[in-house]
Amino acid sequence: EIVLTQSPATLSLSPGERATLSCRASQSVSSYLLWYQQKPGQAPRLLIYEASNRATGIPARFSGSGSGTDFTLTISSLEPEDFAVYYCQQRRDWPLTFGGGTKVEIK
Amino acid sequence: QVQLVQSGAEVKKPGASVKVSCKASGYTFTGYYMHWVRQAPRQGLEWMGRINADTGDTTYAQNFQDRVTITRDTSISTLYMEVIRLTSDDTAVYYCTRTRGDGDKSEFEHWGQGTLVTVSS
């Protein structure tokens, strides 16, 4: 199975700062990499699909990049509502797998 | 708009079974694949399996192959997920999801609200 490793586990930042989250795959997933945001008590929300495409209604401050095994989610300027846990997921192969998550917390 | 409404929280004893439902509305139920994802307390997300809502064809994660069954009833646009031989490790929130596109591995754009299943003696 394809293992996704996210780093860092926790990112402590202030509103207005730039957040850079990493996701590394154990083998190439091409561009079949997705990003989700999850807030406490809520279901995950799709942010980015195919590594770099924003899902419907996602603000432009969220961007994704990468291909193969190394991917990045960037939040250009953190808004108060962006403090949450972020997961990457690959859809290149069965079983579908998720990374362990990065928590973006207020510094 | 697309809505996925799941059944309520369950408390089960070890060794029992649980069946969670997910009522879909706002789209053609048979036009998409549906998946189940679970999340143990304070843990990450774990994919369990998927079903072609049209044909009923299923694929499961190996961890769940022997204990999980995903079915659907197209007449009432409802998805089901049953887990047998429950243990405390099955305590989790279970989510149904619908893909964004019509492929079986398409991203999860729509999610149910989650169903907490607690396994405790």
Side-chain angles (χ1 to χ4, degrees), chain A residues 1 34 36 38 41-46 48-50 55-56 87 89 91-100, chain B residues 35 37 39 43-47 50 59-63 95 100 104-114:
Chain A
E1 92 177 30
L34 320 167
Y36 299 87
Q38 188 179 33
Q42 296 184 17
R45 176 173 72 144
L46 177 67
I48 301 287
Y49 62 95
E50 277 8 7
T56 303
Y87 293 96
Q89 181 221 323
R91 68 176 199 89
R92 172 66 179 81
D93 204 0
W94 303 112
L96 305 181
T97 51
F98 292 88
Chain B
H35 297 243
V37 174
Q39 186 169 37
Q43 299 297 313
L45 302 166
E46 184 177 21
W47 178 75
R50 67 86 168 148
T59 300
Y60 298 98
Q62 191 163 11
N63 288 351
Y95 293 102
R100 186 183 70 87
D104 62 350
K105 297 198 206 74
S106 180
E107 49 279 354
F108 306 144
E109 184 172 38
H110 302 280
W111 295 71
Q113 83 277 19

Side-chain angles (χ1 to χ4, degrees), chain A residues 21-36:
Chain A
L21 289 65
S22 174
C23 177
R24 176 163 289 177
S26 60
Q27 63 190 78
S28 175
V29 298
S30 185
S31 293
Y32 298 118
L33 194 285
L34 320 167
W35 290 95
Y36 299 87

Side-chain angles (χ1 to χ4, degrees), chain B residues 51-95:
Chain B
I51 187 168
N52 179 326
D54 184 24
T55 66
D57 177 63
T58 52
T59 300
Y60 298 98
Q62 191 163 11
N63 288 351
F64 300 103
Q65 198 124 29
D66 296 334
R67 295 194 304 121
V68 171
T69 303
I70 300 173
T71 56
R72 92 280 186 241
D73 184 337
T74 58
S75 69
I76 54 172
S77 299
T78 300
L79 174 73
Y80 301 95
M81 189 276 304
E82 182 177 26
V83 186
I84 63 173
R85 301 195 304 269
L86 289 163
T87 73
S88 58
D89 289 342
D90 294 314
T91 294
V93 175
Y94 291 77
Y95 293 102

Side-chain angles (χ1 to χ4, degrees), chain A:
Chain A
E1 92 177 30
I2 297 174
V3 176
L4 298 178
T5 302
Q6 292 188 241
S7 61
T10 304
L11 200 50
S12 298
L13 295 168
S14 301
E17 290 194 293
R18 182 184 188 88
T20 303
L21 289 65
S22 174
C23 177
R24 176 163 289 177
S26 60
Q27 63 190 78
S28 175
V29 298
S30 185
S31 293
Y32 298 118
L33 194 285
L34 320 167
W35 290 95
Y36 299 87
Q37 175 195 68
Q38 188 179 33
K39 297 179 181 178
Q42 296 184 17
R45 176 173 72 144
L46 177 67
L47 296 177
I48 301 287
Y49 62 95
E50 277 8 7
S52 60
N53 295 288
R54 277 188 300 278
T56 303
I58 302 304
R61 64 181 181 272
F62 291 93
S63 64
S65 63
S67 67
T69 60
D70 290 297
F71 300 87
T72 301
L73 175 69
T74 301
I75 311 171
S76 59
S77 178
L78 282 164
E79 296 288 339
E81 61 268 28
D82 299 336
F83 292 92
V85 179
Y86 293 83
Y87 293 96
C88 58
Q89 181 221 323
Q90 65 81 20
R91 68 176 199 89
R92 172 66 179 81
D93 204 0
W94 303 112
L96 305 181
T97 51
F98 292 88
T102 291
K103 181 179 181 180
V104 178
E105 65 176 23
I106 299 176
K107 187 174 182 180

